[in-house]
Amino acid sequence: MEAEDYETAVREFSVTLEHRPTDVEALEARADCWESLHDYAKAVEDWSMMIRSDRESTELARRYARRGAAYYREHRYDDAIRDYNNSLYLDDQQADIWESRADACRDAGRLGEALYSIQRAIDLKPQESHLRFRMRARIYESLGRNDEALSDYYRALDTTPDDYRAYILCGWLEHRLGHRDAATQVFERLREHAGDLPWVISELADYYHAIGDDIEAITLITHAIAIESGEDGAFNDARYRMQRAEWFVELGMLPEARADYEAVLAMDEDDFAASFRREALLGKSKLLLKLKRPRQAVEAAKAAAALDERDSEAYRCLAAALVASHRLDAARMALDEIIDRTGALVARADRAEIYERLGRPDLALDDADHVLSVVRDPVWYGLDEAYGRARVLRGRILAARGEGDAAQATLAGATQWTSDLEATLETRADAWQQLGNEPAAALDRFRACRFGGLSKPSLDD
């Protein structure tokens, strides 16, 4: 049924319920329609009315479970758990409800309860528990009990060879534990069983990329693109091309990456691929910067920013392209816009660097100090890069002003908070030199050379 059909059915059941408000058959039918329309809040209302209307019903356990499922879909995990508890209080032999409770407990972070619940489900119906072994394995993994997790994953693989998700989860766990040979064996077993399923081939490509076999990764993802077809073909074709473009960029194969971005942008606006338009435009803009084509990079970034006026990454990408075009004031104005709209702290760190280049150190220092004052825990906020750059900039300006002690204190811990080690170390070395600390400057320049392969593009690229 189409969405319009469900909406028509809702209207018809609502008319019935105007005359018979407690008609449980109409309420249940309407709740089913709400769920098909993904309006789980309204489904909860209807299930609640059914529960209140007849608490002696033999269907009460099922209705609690159905309302719990609707709560779960709304990410109201504690409410879902409460309803699953009510259902199990009435009938504790429901293996599927124990499994649903395990899901909700896991997502609520109540891992001990999740493990207890999935174990009850397995005990009640051991002959139907092949998929539940995979679920128990995931809970064990979340608890850090990796040996037990691997045991369950392999048990799932042995009992259900076509459980492709179990292969993927097992393989990645082996990989994270540093068991490369075991991980590769799992993924190769997956390849044998899955055949030419594009989404499985994509996972295989991800794995080979993770272990540094880029040729195999690109070969696999190219195969996935070639065989993609069906209803979601455009969406997956775009997704796989975006994936391949990123890998082409990493390998320095820039024309090939650009061709993939252009292919995504050429897809019909009505396709699912339209959801990748922003990513393709941003990728294209960054790629054009690497190709030393800043004006074209500006146009691509402008198109990305036009899709969402609150997209801070798009405005930062635009500012980077404008800086590369030597249009510093325009870059600052682009960052002004997104900072005014969203208060984006990373954009404020970018603007501080532009103010410094414009010869306005006081404004640069204001922006840097704002970032440092707001971000108390860089890792928690995910702003370690911005925090590190703000510290380096502040130290550099203080050094230029001759405030040696303050500059040294600011610079000392800057590299703790940034993954762009090369750029951070180089700029800090300049500041040490301004302070007359030649040994520290030399040490940072030496370390910058060591980390040169880890640097990320900066506004000056």
Side-chain angles (χ1 to χ4, degrees):
M1 290 176 64
E2 300 292 331
E4 294 82 1
D5 298 322
Y6 287 115
E7 290 166 357
T8 299
V10 163
R11 287 193 292 271
E12 291 174 356
F13 291 128
S14 297
V15 169
T16 299
L17 289 164
E18 286 178 6
H19 300 287
R20 300 194 299 275
T22 58
D23 185 329
V24 291
E25 290 185 4
L27 282 167
E28 182 161 342
R30 189 171 69 175
D32 287 337
C33 291
W34 288 132
E35 289 175 4
S36 297
L37 292 167
H38 308 294
D39 193 338
Y40 300 109
K42 286 191 170 64
V44 164
E45 291 177 9
D46 281 351
W47 288 115
S48 297
M49 191 172 294
M50 281 181 268
I51 290 168
R52 289 194 301 270
S53 67
D54 186 0
R55 292 192 176 276
E56 302 302 320
S57 171
T58 56
E59 294 290 303
L60 191 58
R62 185 180 65 84
R63 289 168 186 165
Y64 273 125
R66 289 292 301 273
R67 187 174 70 175
Y71 277 135
Y72 180 81
R73 293 294 186 88
E74 282 197 291
H75 308 291
R76 294 172 60 179
Y77 302 125
D78 289 333
D79 289 329
I81 293 166
R82 185 193 66 236
D83 267 359
Y84 292 141
N85 289 345
N86 288 333
S87 180
L88 291 165
Y89 176 78
L90 295 168
D91 177 5
D92 66 357
Q93 299 301 298
Q94 304 174 89
D96 55 337
I97 306 306
W98 281 112
E99 182 178 350
S100 297
R101 185 180 188 275
D103 264 329
C105 288
R106 184 192 64 201
D107 290 343
R110 295 158 63 170
L111 298 178
E113 293 180 67
L115 185 59
Y116 173 79
S117 296
I118 196 61
Q119 188 61 56
R120 285 295 305 269
I122 291 170
D123 291 342
L124 282 168
K125 292 192 175 178
Q127 71 281 8
E128 298 176 13
S129 291
H130 45 279
L131 294 179
R132 291 173 184 147
F133 291 131
R134 186 226 295 172
M135 184 175 176
R136 187 172 66 180
R138 295 186 67 189
I139 297 169
Y140 278 138
E141 191 175 346
S142 297
L143 288 166
R145 295 163 63 174
N146 293 321
D147 289 343
E148 291 161 291
L150 286 173
S151 177
D152 266 357
Y153 280 136
Y154 282 112
R155 190 171 180 180
L157 300 187
D158 292 338
T159 56
T160 317
D162 59 350
D163 183 4
Y164 304 140
R165 292 289 180 194
Y167 285 98
I168 291 165
L169 292 166
C170 181
W172 282 115
L173 178 56
E174 293 279 28
H175 172 71
R176 286 192 296 274
L177 294 173
H179 306 159
R180 176 167 173 166
D181 289 343
T184 301
Q185 287 176 12
V186 172
F187 279 108
E188 285 304 316
R189 282 179 64 187
L190 172 62
R191 193 201 296 247
E192 291 172 12
H193 287 286
D196 279 348
L197 288 173
W199 71 270
V200 174
I201 295 171
S202 171
E203 289 285 350
L204 286 166
D206 275 338
Y207 170 69
Y208 280 103
H209 176 256
I211 64 173
D213 191 343
D214 293 314
I215 300 303
E216 181 67 7
I218 287 177
T219 300
L220 285 164
I221 202 65
T222 300
H223 183 45
I225 292 168
I227 65 175
E228 183 55 65
S229 62
E231 181 179 339
D232 295 337
F235 176 85
N236 286 327
D237 185 21
R239 182 160 62 91
Y240 300 151
R241 285 182 183 277
M242 292 295 296
Q243 192 174 27
R244 186 172 68 176
E246 291 178 14
W247 296 344
F248 278 144
V249 170
E250 290 176 13
L251 293 171
M253 300 170 68
L254 303 187
E256 290 84 353
R258 185 176 183 184
D260 271 342
Y261 288 134
E262 296 289 5
V264 173
L265 292 171
M267 292 179 181
D268 291 341
E269 288 285 344
D270 293 337
D271 285 339
F272 287 115
S275 62
F276 289 100
R277 184 169 180 79
R278 168 194 171 274
E279 292 177 47
L281 286 166
L282 291 178
K284 179 181 175 182
S285 179
K286 294 170 185 177
L287 178 61
L288 288 166
L289 278 183
K290 289 179 179 290
L291 292 169
K292 308 300 182 186
R293 297 179 184 176
R295 291 185 182 178
Q296 291 174 275
V298 167
E299 294 308 312
K302 279 184 178 177
L307 296 174
D308 181 359
E309 64 178 16
R310 297 181 64 82
D311 184 348
S312 60
E313 186 182 358
Y315 277 86
R316 292 184 64 224
C317 193
L318 173 58
L322 289 166
V323 167
S325 303
H326 307 291
R327 297 164 61 187
L328 296 180
D329 277 321
R332 190 261 307 158
M333 291 169 65
L335 293 172
D336 286 347
E337 283 189 52
I338 196 62
I339 291 168
D340 289 344
R341 289 191 190 115
T342 68
L345 290 171
V346 181
R348 196 178 282 268
D350 293 341
R351 188 174 68 178
E353 293 174 351
I354 292 175
Y355 274 136
E356 185 184 28
R357 294 182 61 170
L358 287 167
R360 303 169 74 177
D362 289 342
L363 292 175
L365 200 57
D366 285 346
D367 271 347
D369 284 343
H370 180 81
V371 172
L372 297 176
S373 67
V374 172
V375 184
R376 298 295 184 183
D377 186 340
V379 176
W380 177 260
Y381 283 97
L383 293 167
D384 49 334
E385 191 75 27
Y387 186 89
R389 287 192 292 121
R391 281 192 70 147
V392 170
L393 182 140
R394 187 176 194 280
R396 194 164 58 234
I397 291 175
L398 292 174
R401 290 178 172 180
E403 300 179 33
D405 291 342
Q408 292 197 53
T410 301
L411 292 166
T415 55
Q416 179 184 356
W417 302 114
T418 177
S419 56
D420 191 355
L421 288 171
E422 182 186 18
T424 303
L425 289 164
E426 286 174 352
T427 53
R428 191 170 73 169
D430 291 339
W432 288 134
Q433 194 161 1
Q434 284 180 307
L435 292 168
N437 190 338
E438 291 294 342
L443 179 60
D444 271 355
R445 292 194 200 287
F446 172 74
R447 292 175 65 205
C449 291
R450 286 181 58 204
F451 289 111
L454 299 178
S455 62
K456 298 179 182 178
S458 69
L459 286 173
D460 295 324
D461 285 340

